[in-house]
Amino acid sequence: MKTQVKPPRKYFITRRLDAFFAGVYNAFHFVARFFKELVLPPFEGKEIIRQCYEIGYKSLPLITLTGFITGFVFTKQSRPSLSEFGATSWLPSLVAIAMIRALAPLVTSLITAGKVGSNIGAELGSMKVTEQIDAMEVSAVNPFKFLVVSRVVATTLTIPMLMMYTAFVGLMGSYLDIHLNELTSFTTFLQKAFEKITFLDFLSSLIKAIAYGFTIGIVGCYQGYKASQGTEGVGRAANSSVVISMFLIFIEEIIIVQIVNYFRFL
């Protein structure tokens, strides 16, 4: 009599859950390797500066347009509600608080995730599938330090500067709308805009921008670095970089706002 042999179990839990936990482990391993390579010499200073130029300077036209429109439209949309209570004089303070606390970091990071994150994912993915990264290892160049560390450091440094610029052009858009309607002078606008802003507002925006910049860089590099299957894999890496970055940015926004509000109301 034949005994039936039970087939070996292929998956620890299920195929999808196994793949999910493996992906989480690989992502944490990738982040840990980034911090290890970050502190070890040699340091790729020239490449970091070049990446800051590519990310920051070339994003300025898009950031300028979106930041200005955000400030202008937010002011225009807020005016009817405030005018019902005769409180249109509060518009500069309202717009400044909204821009510095939330809109500037979010608008900057979402625009940058779409433009820069996809570029990083596609660029590194293309280098991966065409074996250029393997060629760098053969030629005694550390591709992780040269490609990954430089880009993540550049996004982490550049996004806070772009965020401050977005807040500035957003306030200029707001000033244009307020000046056209209330004939408010530029000096009065600035005085009213910053009278309710605190150091905690600036600090929380800076922390947000640094977190978002790091997220955009590390996600783009991770997706590009693990790309496979030719041009289809490159497209998938670029698309995943944008989607995952935006998802994580919103999660971080919720967490940071909760922490800041805790200290604000102490």
Side-chain angles (χ1 to χ4, degrees):
M1 181 178 174
K2 281 187 177 179
T3 55
Q4 286 188 343
V5 179
K6 234 179 160 180
R9 193 175 183 179
K10 290 183 180 177
Y11 308 111
F12 186 69
I13 307 175
T14 64
R15 184 173 64 86
R16 289 190 175 183
L17 281 176
D18 283 8
F20 171 76
F21 286 116
V24 171
Y25 171 79
N26 291 333
F28 275 105
H29 185 264
F30 191 84
V31 173
R33 185 180 176 188
F34 163 78
F35 284 109
K36 178 185 171 186
E37 297 279 0
L38 178 67
V39 296
L40 293 176
F43 302 106
E44 302 290 347
K46 287 184 180 178
E47 181 62 13
I48 292 173
I49 293 172
R50 192 182 75 82
Q51 290 298 327
C52 286
Y53 170 79
E54 293 287 333
I55 296 167
Y57 183 73
K58 292 189 175 180
S59 299
L60 280 181
L62 191 58
I63 292 290
T64 303
L65 185 64
T66 52
F68 188 86
I69 291 174
T70 300
F72 186 84
V73 171
F74 184 81
T75 307
K76 193 168 279 300
Q77 294 289 336
S78 302
R79 174 173 284 102
S81 301
L82 291 180
S83 63
E84 289 182 10
F85 302 98
T88 52
S89 60
W90 293 0
L91 271 172
S93 297
L94 175 69
V95 177
I97 289 172
M99 285 298 300
I100 292 173
R101 285 187 185 177
L103 291 177
L106 269 180
V107 168
T108 306
S109 59
L110 294 180
I111 292 294
T112 313
K115 184 177 185 300
V116 176
S118 60
N119 282 347
I120 292 175
E123 186 181 11
L124 266 61
S126 178
M127 295 180 72
K128 179 70 175 180
V129 299
T130 56
E131 300 181 350
Q132 293 180 55
I133 293 178
D134 297 334
M136 291 176 72
E137 289 178 347
V138 172
S139 58
V141 175
N142 185 343
F144 195 95
K145 183 178 280 293
F146 187 78
L147 298 174
V148 175
V149 174
S150 61
R151 281 164 175 75
V152 177
V153 170
T155 54
T156 308
L157 293 177
T158 310
I159 301 298
M161 291 187 278
L162 288 176
M163 181 272 294
M164 289 187 277
Y165 178 72
T166 304
F168 171 74
V169 293
L171 289 176
M172 292 302 100
S174 173
Y175 168 69
L176 176 63
D177 183 75
I178 290 173
H179 178 72
L180 291 176
N181 287 277
E182 282 88 22
L183 299 177
T184 304
S185 69
F186 186 65
T187 306
T188 305
F189 172 81
L190 288 181
Q191 286 174 347
K192 290 184 176 179
F194 288 99
E195 66 183 3
K196 299 293 183 186
I197 299 297
T198 64
F199 174 73
L200 186 60
D201 295 325
F202 284 109
L203 182 63
S204 64
S205 291
L206 189 62
I207 292 171
K208 285 181 184 178
I210 291 172
Y212 300 161
F214 176 79
T215 301
I216 292 167
I218 202 76
V219 170
C221 289
Y222 177 71
Q223 293 299 324
Y225 217 75
K226 73 178 187 66
S228 59
Q229 300 177 355
T231 53
E232 184 184 347
V234 174
R236 196 182 304 118
N239 185 53
S240 300
S241 300
V242 178
V243 174
I244 296 173
S245 294
M246 288 185 175
F247 174 75
L248 292 176
I249 284 169
F250 282 116
I251 298 294
E252 290 168 350
E253 171 75 13
I254 294 171
I255 295 171
I256 295 173
V257 166
Q258 293 297 324
I259 295 172
V260 171
N261 283 345
Y262 172 77
F263 286 103
R264 194 185 303 280
F265 299 115
L266 270 179

